Amino acid sequence: MQGATTYPLFDPASSADALQAIIPEHLCVGATADPFLYGGSGFAACIAAMERITDQPAIFATVQFVSKGRKGDLITFTPDHCSGGKSVKQCRLTARISDQPFAYLVGAAGQRPDPTLHQGSRPPILPLPDQCAERSVARQISSNLNALFEFRLAQGQLPDRRDWRGETGQDVAYWIRLRSGAALTRLDLPVIADCASLALPSALGRPASGNSLDNMIRFAGDTQEEWVLAHMHVASIQHGVAHINTHLYAQAGAVLAIASQSMLLREAPPV
């Protein structure tokens, strides 16, 4: 898995009007009999397409998945709309597999030469990565994702068995880095943010996961970090739907991105 990418990469021969990428096996998750493209990896590829189309860094993006992609599928990303001023472009694009819609993305890309700086969101005071134990997320999310990233639990709880019971109402925070040793980039952040289901067991005090309905991310700055802190908070669970917020921080404390996700709650049946 050394050097493996965290999202499907575009075919260099494809044009900005129809960017294409093939789904690799190492980015698929789910049941062994029917693995599908990890949502965060699909989201990152959609954001990369918007950045390629606009030739600008993403400011924010939200994606809605309407089908699943599987190993070997060819995804084609085409712009439906792209307009705006000199510094910021509003964009809408569609990702298709075999002419069928796979995902819709809406976002904006660009930046302005403005020196104003403010950070209202601060990371919680937590142990540093070398003070935290590595934890496997293979049971909670995917062995493939666990092979891409190293997860160190800095706050909260993670089930290690089906009959696990813990405290309720806790947030979780993980230090996360690439196992390849490469620095994390801005396009790795949507992949990390899609790990939001890790927050559910700590909030409920029992094993739980979820199927995401959407993904949203707002970028606050560029990153070339070894470690990123993902602080996850379950804002609400009602009617079988969970809403989760995730803040991503550099090790020095700078906020890198603010993400959110809604998902259908999945709980393991009683043993």
Side-chain angles (χ1 to χ4, degrees), residues 2-269:
Q2 292 295 315
T5 60
T6 65
Y7 57 94
L9 298 180
F10 303 130
D11 181 343
S14 60
S15 69
D17 293 329
L19 293 164
Q20 294 186 320
I22 293 177
I23 298 175
E25 183 177 12
H26 76 273
L27 298 182
C28 293
V29 299
T32 304
D34 188 29
F36 55 90
L37 177 64
Y38 180 60
S41 296
F43 189 20
C46 288
I47 294 171
M50 179 176 68
E51 293 190 338
R52 179 77 69 89
I53 291 163
T54 61
D55 196 29
Q56 295 281 1
I59 299 171
F60 83 91
T62 182
V63 70
Q64 180 184 27
F65 293 101
V66 294
S67 65
K68 292 181 178 180
R70 292 172 171 82
K71 180 187 73 171
D73 283 350
L74 178 68
I75 310 177
T76 301
F77 304 84
T78 55
D80 300 320
H81 175 80
C82 188
S83 66
K86 294 181 180 180
S87 58
V88 175
K89 302 290 185 184
Q90 303 282 352
C91 192
R92 184 177 70 243
L93 66 83
T94 301
R96 294 180 173 85
I97 297 176
S98 300
D99 295 327
Q100 297 299 312
F102 164 65
Y104 300 105
L105 178 135
V106 175
Q111 54 189 355
R112 298 173 60 189
D114 189 316
T116 306
L117 292 174
H118 173 72
Q119 181 172 326
S121 172
R122 300 288 175 183
I125 299 174
L126 297 171
L128 295 176
D130 60 1
Q131 299 170 316
C132 301
E134 181 179 356
R135 297 294 300 273
S136 171
V137 300
R139 175 190 295 269
Q140 183 75 13
I141 300 181
S142 162
S143 57
N144 276 354
L145 195 74
N146 201 71
L148 277 176
F149 295 102
E150 179 181 339
F151 294 79
R152 296 198 179 188
L153 184 61
Q155 177 183 350
Q157 308 162 98
L158 180 67
D160 58 1
R161 60 189 187 280
R162 189 176 167 190
D163 61 348
W164 174 87
R165 292 296 182 269
E167 297 182 26
T168 61
Q170 292 192 26
D171 290 350
V172 294
Y174 286 86
W175 289 105
I176 301 172
R177 68 175 172 182
L178 287 165
R179 291 194 184 276
S180 67
L184 291 161
T185 70
R186 60 190 284 111
L187 288 176
D188 295 315
L189 300 183
V191 186
I192 291 172
D194 195 41
C195 297
S197 64
L198 290 172
L200 291 169
S202 204
L204 295 175
R206 58 185 184 272
S209 188
N211 296 331
S212 61
L213 300 172
D214 77 323
N215 281 298
M216 171 173 273
I217 193 165
R218 301 182 186 278
F219 293 99
D222 292 324
T223 179
Q224 288 289 328
E225 300 285 330
E226 178 185 6
W227 291 99
V228 164
L229 179 69
H231 181 236
M232 305 169 185
H233 170 71
V234 179
S236 170
I237 300 176
Q238 289 191 68
H239 308 300
V241 176
H243 304 294
I244 304 173
N245 300 321
T246 299
H247 286 199
L248 301 174
Y249 298 96
Q251 189 167 344
V255 62
L256 300 174
I258 303 103
S260 61
Q261 188 172 145
S262 298
M263 62 180 64
L264 296 176
L265 181 66
R266 287 193 292 109
E267 296 192 67

